[in-house]
Amino acid sequence: MFLRLAACAMALASGRLLIQKDAPEFKATAVMPDDQTKEISLQSFRGSYIILFFYPFDFTFVCPTEILAFDAMIDEFHKKGAEVLAVSTDSVHSHIAYRKLGPKDGGIGKIRYPIFSDFKKEISTLYDVLADDGSSHRGLFLIDREGKVRHQLVNDEPLGRSVDEAMRMLDALQHFEQHGQVCPANFKAGEQSLGKANDNVLDRFENVKEYLASKYEK
């Protein structure tokens, strides 16, 4: 009994893994691109791919660089059927004030995707990104059109994320869904992928040998 309890405690301490699981549902107030506030749910985006990212606080240092980097690529995300959603534990009023400041004043300006207020810290708790100081760690989750989590990462506060990598993960997921082919390290849209996930073991081994030889044989 003690060993089972200890194992459970270790699993909880190590963080929650959401890969291949349903994304935890939530409903909260967000500041929208038109400056209006609206209570919306994650469920309302079903049928789209979702890039859900958490950030520590408004009016900080690394956070606006990430927020604006996602905004700079929002058209490309939309072209690929993806929505970008941001979450922090700041209030709605803080988000509104943050949007009123342009980048030259240290703000984020009129970004073109919703920012949720997780003031009660319920969403950050659901996704296991709540920090000890009440902020959110830099978590990012790629959710498919069926509501399953297909990719997740969490960075420490000083480490800004790569929006290009988020896009690369979306491209890889869409390639797999369209062709059934798995994606190797550093895969980018239009590049060579590997064989199908359901190929037999011998065919998969031959396929990876050919790929490795073409990429890494000296």
Side-chain angles (χ1 to χ4, degrees), residues 58-116:
D58 295 339
F59 302 102
T60 52
F61 305 105
V62 178
C63 297
T65 70
E66 294 182 315
I67 294 167
L68 288 167
F70 273 108
D71 186 67
M73 295 180 68
I74 196 66
D75 289 337
E76 191 170 351
F77 280 113
H78 286 165
K79 286 176 184 176
K80 296 178 180 183
E83 297 290 339
V84 174
L85 309 176
V87 183
S88 82
T89 58
D90 297 287
S91 69
V92 169
H93 305 291
S94 176
H95 289 338
I96 292 172
Y98 205 22
R99 285 175 51 87
K100 287 182 177 178
L101 288 179
K104 68 181 179 63
D105 297 313
I108 56 174
K110 305 301 183 182
I111 63 165
R112 295 166 289 168
Y113 56 86
I115 304 182
F116 284 86

Side-chain angles (χ1 to χ4, degrees), residues 36-218:
Q36 299 298 307
T37 59
K38 183 179 180 181
E39 189 173 57
I40 50 178
S41 66
L42 184 68
Q43 173 71 28
S44 66
F45 295 96
R46 184 64 58 86
S48 298
Y49 299 94
I50 298 170
I51 305 291
L52 175 67
F53 78 96
F54 295 78
Y55 66 92
F57 286 120
D58 295 339
F59 302 102
T60 52
F61 305 105
V62 178
C63 297
T65 70
E66 294 182 315
I67 294 167
L68 288 167
F70 273 108
D71 186 67
M73 295 180 68
I74 196 66
D75 289 337
E76 191 170 351
F77 280 113
H78 286 165
K79 286 176 184 176
K80 296 178 180 183
E83 297 290 339
V84 174
L85 309 176
V87 183
S88 82
T89 58
D90 297 287
S91 69
V92 169
H93 305 291
S94 176
H95 289 338
I96 292 172
Y98 205 22
R99 285 175 51 87
K100 287 182 177 178
L101 288 179
K104 68 181 179 63
D105 297 313
I108 56 174
K110 305 301 183 182
I111 63 165
R112 295 166 289 168
Y113 56 86
I115 304 182
F116 284 86
S117 169
D118 185 25
F119 199 62
K120 294 182 179 179
K121 303 172 177 56
E122 295 172 343
I123 309 172
S124 299
T125 299
L126 281 173
Y127 284 81
D128 200 19
V129 296
L130 186 65
D132 291 341
D133 65 358
S135 69
S136 300
H137 288 304
R138 297 188 192 284
L140 184 146
F141 300 83
L142 170 58
I143 302 169
D144 69 16
R145 292 171 296 180
E146 303 301 318
K148 299 284 186 184
V149 177
R150 308 301 295 272
H151 165 68
Q152 74 177 75
L153 64 83
V154 183
N155 284 10
D156 197 3
E157 186 172 345
L159 310 177
R161 288 157 292 192
S162 168
V163 179
D164 288 335
E165 178 65 6
M167 183 70 74
R168 191 183 76 83
M169 285 289 98
L170 175 62
D171 288 338
L173 173 59
Q174 292 183 340
H175 180 89
F176 173 72
E177 289 178 340
Q178 293 166 13
H179 305 286
Q181 297 171 329
V182 298
C183 300
N186 300 320
F187 172 83
K188 294 181 180 178
E191 294 184 348
Q192 180 184 0
S193 59
L194 298 173
K196 294 189 175 182
N198 59 358
D199 284 347
N200 67 59
V201 173
L202 290 178
D203 287 343
R204 290 170 69 180
F205 189 63
E206 288 300 317
N207 176 263
V208 77
K209 283 198 304 184
E210 293 175 7
Y211 179 85
L212 293 175
S214 67
K215 281 282 188 178
Y216 302 111
E217 189 71 24
K218 296 180 181 179

